[in-house]
Amino acid sequence: MARLADEKVLVLDFGSQYAQLIARRVRQQNVYCEIVRHNITAQRIRELAPKGIILSGGPASVYEAGAPKCDPEIFQLGLPVLGICYGLHLACQLLGGQVQSTSTREYGRAWCRVTQPNELFVGLPDRIEVWMSHGDQVSQASGEFLPLAATDTCPLAAVKHRRLPVYGLQFHPEVTHTPQGSTILGNFLKNVCGCRGTWQLGDFARETIETVRRQVGSDRVICGLSGGVDSSVVAALLAQAIGPQLSCILVDNGLLRKDEEEAVVREFSSHFATDLHVVKAEEKFLTALAGVVDPQEKRRRIGHAFIDCFSDEAAKIKDAKFLAQGTLYPDVIESGGSPDGPAATIKLHHNVGGLPEDLAFELVEPLRDLFKDEVRALGLQLGLPEEIVWRHPFPGPGLAVRCLGEVTKERLDILREADAIVVDEIKRAGLYRQTAQAFAVLLPVQSVGVMGDARTYADAVAVRSIDTEDFMTADWSHLPYELLAHISTRIINEVKGVNRVVYDISSKPPATIEWE
């Protein structure tokens, strides 16, 4: 997408958990932003022609042996630079300052006093709430830096170089815990970098449609539909781009949520009039999963079964030369798929079900430059209904990893009904958009209960609901007690075989979002 943006900003990633969040916050200001590796050369930056550079935070200390560094020549390019936390430390160190560990560390909220009026804090009060996360501080910024702000324990909470357009913040403006952080970033982008904020998703959609048309020509494209937002948006975009040249494949593996297949078929056979192929494969997947309780083995068997089903159906579609995938920008970053991106591979690039390379299709990845929130916005622009665009994320292996223990049709049906009640009640309470992911988990545990005058020994269901922005960290949703009670009552009354409901109040970390 960089080629589509007339102004962009680069984030140099020093291993921060917030690097992607910084890029998203910049894009929310209508300025295109890319994440690049921390040791990218000044010459390469010059070729990319950004309007500014942001140095991310990171877990290391700049004075440690082997701590990541950037090319010091970037400070001589004349481009505005904003260092955040580790980025501040590195900029000050490379430009003559000193950084050291402090006895008074700051983790959490703090009050920051603006001591010097400047471009970063335009429109803000003299005292602002900020989020600190550091054990090191700039102890001496040299005479080249002007102090801009301070906290009670950090005299150099914000600085500016006297001659160069280099700024630094000890706190994190990208997190929601710094309420005026977006204003500070916006001030840097507009007041310092001179960005006009011209990047729009509508422009991206039009340009991407034209790019797909040029890439595909008159050939046919296959798209794997899962019912999730990513694949749905890809299919919707391709339907507008190439219309009848698109064929979609939905593998009904028996592991989908309640009524999910019907919703996908309805949307992509009527609204978008797509050539949709539905593979009925419930029996194949249940046979593959029979007797399996290990989560990784479940995933492995589901992956193999999916490849078989998808490959067999794809072979029936004549003249198909392209495979469309819902690859997003975080996938590209974390798989090392960008030539200028971070070098470390966090996870293998995940394509549609892990399809093998010998399928001999050329890839079409129209969303590879977008974050999830941008994909949702694009989906609405393309005419997808809100129930698809805002559907909560769903694991690739489906309900198999929410059905703890052995996976059978009977247990899946119990889970499907319980899960539908959880989602229905959260929607009725008006909390579906406020929660990031909510679902039911069927436990391999039975407990004693009493229903009417009869003693029961039945299944237990766990309800999981989390709040998060990036899905890397998450907290459990503080749902009203009345809502939880209503969910529990409905599940026990309406789902035969369940007599106990519990609520998961563990955060990520140390827990994960999914149970398996």
Side-chain angles (χ1 to χ4, degrees):
M1 191 194 306
R3 65 185 183 282
L4 310 178
D6 60 359
E7 56 183 24
K8 61 175 173 285
V9 168
L10 302 180
V11 175
L12 273 61
D13 183 9
F14 292 91
S16 171
Q17 62 177 322
Y18 297 134
Q20 292 186 27
L21 189 54
I22 296 171
R24 285 178 55 209
R25 292 288 182 256
V26 171
R27 292 191 186 185
Q28 287 169 359
Q29 307 272 352
N30 298 118
V31 176
Y32 179 67
C33 186
E34 286 184 350
I35 300 174
V36 298
R37 61 181 182 273
H38 65 83
N39 59 349
I40 187 172
T41 65
Q43 176 58 35
R44 178 56 180 157
I45 291 177
R46 187 180 288 110
E47 294 169 359
L48 293 172
K51 300 283 285 186
I53 299 169
I54 298 177
L55 310 180
S56 82
S61 294
V62 294
Y63 48 77
E64 294 175 344
K69 306 291 185 184
C70 65
D71 184 346
E73 290 300 315
I74 68 172
F75 299 109
Q76 308 305 321
L77 294 175
L79 294 172
V81 177
L82 175 65
I84 297 175
C85 199
Y86 183 91
L88 159 69
H89 302 163
L90 184 60
C92 287
Q93 184 191 63
L94 293 176
L95 293 172
Q98 295 181 6
V99 179
Q100 63 183 28
S101 178
T102 64
S103 57
T104 306
R105 302 185 175 195
E106 287 185 302
Y107 294 98
R109 290 179 174 86
W111 287 97
C112 182
R113 301 182 308 278
V114 179
T115 57
Q116 178 69 38
N118 63 91
E119 302 89 338
L120 291 185
F121 298 103
V122 171
L124 296 180
D126 293 339
R127 187 170 180 264
I128 60 175
E129 186 178 2
V130 299
W131 183 261
M132 292 286 198
S133 180
H134 68 97
D136 297 333
Q137 285 187 15
V138 177
S139 58
Q140 182 179 340
S142 80
E144 295 293 328
F145 283 91
L146 177 68
L148 302 179
T151 69
D152 289 341
T153 59
C154 181
L156 296 173
V159 299
K160 173 187 177 181
H161 198 276
R162 295 182 186 274
R163 294 181 297 103
L164 304 173
V166 178
Y167 297 74
L169 300 173
Q170 180 60 76
F171 56 88
H172 289 270
E174 70 274 20
V175 301
T176 55
H177 301 308
T178 299
Q180 280 103 358
S182 292
T183 300
I184 295 171
L185 284 175
N187 284 339
F188 174 72
L189 297 171
K190 296 177 178 64
N191 299 341
V192 182
C193 299
C195 294
R196 293 168 291 136
T198 58
W199 183 70
Q200 301 288 341
L201 270 178
D203 297 332
F204 166 79
R206 287 189 293 273
E207 293 280 357
T208 302
I209 285 172
E210 289 303 315
T211 300
V212 169
R213 286 172 178 166
R214 289 193 299 269
Q215 180 186 4
V216 171
S218 60
D219 292 317
R220 179 161 293 278
V221 179
I222 295 176
C223 177
L225 276 175
S226 66
V229 61
D230 301 339
S231 66
S232 297
V233 172
V234 168
L237 190 146
L238 291 176
Q240 290 198 17
I242 58 175
Q245 295 168 237
L246 173 66
S247 294
C248 293
I249 297 176
L250 171 64
V251 177
D252 180 3
N253 54 16
L255 306 174
L256 301 177
R257 289 171 283 199
K258 186 177 181 180
D259 299 330
E260 191 152 40
E261 179 196 333
E262 291 81 356
V264 173
V265 170
R266 182 172 59 250
E267 194 59 35
F268 287 95
S269 60
S270 58
H271 184 81
F272 289 101
T274 305
D275 175 35
L276 179 60
H277 299 242
V278 179
V279 181
K280 297 287 189 178
E282 179 183 51
E283 185 176 347
K284 179 181 180 69
F285 280 80
L286 289 178
T287 300
L289 290 169
V292 178
V293 297
D294 178 73
Q296 288 303 99
E297 183 62 17
K298 286 181 184 179
R299 291 175 181 271
R300 191 186 69 81
R301 295 196 182 197
I302 290 169
H304 285 307
F306 179 87
I307 290 170
D308 290 343
C309 292
F310 193 95
S311 302
D312 290 345
E313 192 64 28
K316 302 175 185 177
I317 301 174
K318 296 182 179 180
D319 303 321
K321 295 185 179 180
F322 294 88
L323 175 67
Q325 296 187 164
T327 306
L328 304 190
Y329 190 45
D331 304 330
V332 176
I333 296 169
E334 293 173 0
S335 64
S338 171
D340 294 311
T345 298
I346 299 174
K347 61 184 178 183
L348 294 178
H349 181 64
H350 61 276
N351 55 26
V352 180
L355 294 176
E357 295 180 358
D358 59 10
L359 280 181
F361 289 117
E362 183 178 337
L363 290 182
V364 177
E365 298 177 310
L367 307 182
R368 64 180 283 117
D369 293 311
L370 296 184
F371 287 104
K372 175 72 82 172
D373 54 335
E374 295 168 329
V375 171
R376 294 189 192 280
L378 179 60
L380 293 175
Q381 289 187 12
L382 293 171
L384 281 172
E386 289 200 1
E387 57 264 29
I388 287 182
V389 171
W390 290 104
R391 184 173 292 161
H392 284 182
F394 191 55
L399 293 179
V401 292
R402 293 178 180 173
C403 183
L404 277 60
E406 185 175 5
V407 179
T408 64
K409 179 171 174 49
E410 180 184 17
R411 299 191 76 225
L412 286 170
D413 288 341
I414 290 173
L415 176 56
R416 236 184 301 271
E417 294 299 322
D419 183 75
I421 290 172
V422 172
V423 173
D424 180 56
E425 288 302 325
I426 288 179
K427 285 181 176 179
R428 286 173 182 267
L431 297 175
Y432 190 73
R433 290 275 294 274
Q434 296 179 35
T435 54
Q437 197 168 353
F439 54 91
V441 179
L442 183 61
L443 305 180
V445 172
Q446 291 190 314
S447 65
V448 173
V450 177
M451 290 185 176
D453 294 323
R455 181 179 182 273
T456 62
Y457 193 59
D459 291 324
V461 164
V463 175
R464 178 74 157 146
S465 180
I466 58 102
D467 300 331
T468 181
E469 286 198 356
D470 54 18
F471 288 89
M472 292 183 288
T473 60
D475 196 10
W476 56 279
S477 304
H478 292 239
L479 299 179
Y481 290 149
E482 294 79 4
L483 173 58
L484 292 173
H486 198 45
I487 289 173
S488 176
T489 299
R490 279 198 61 191
I491 291 176
I492 292 173
N493 287 347
E494 299 176 28
V495 183
K496 187 177 180 180
V498 177
N499 69 355
R500 190 175 299 271
V501 175
V502 298
Y503 188 51
D504 182 352
I505 59 170
S506 50
S507 299
K508 175 189 179 182
T512 55
I513 294 174
E514 298 287 345
W515 279 46
E516 286 190 344

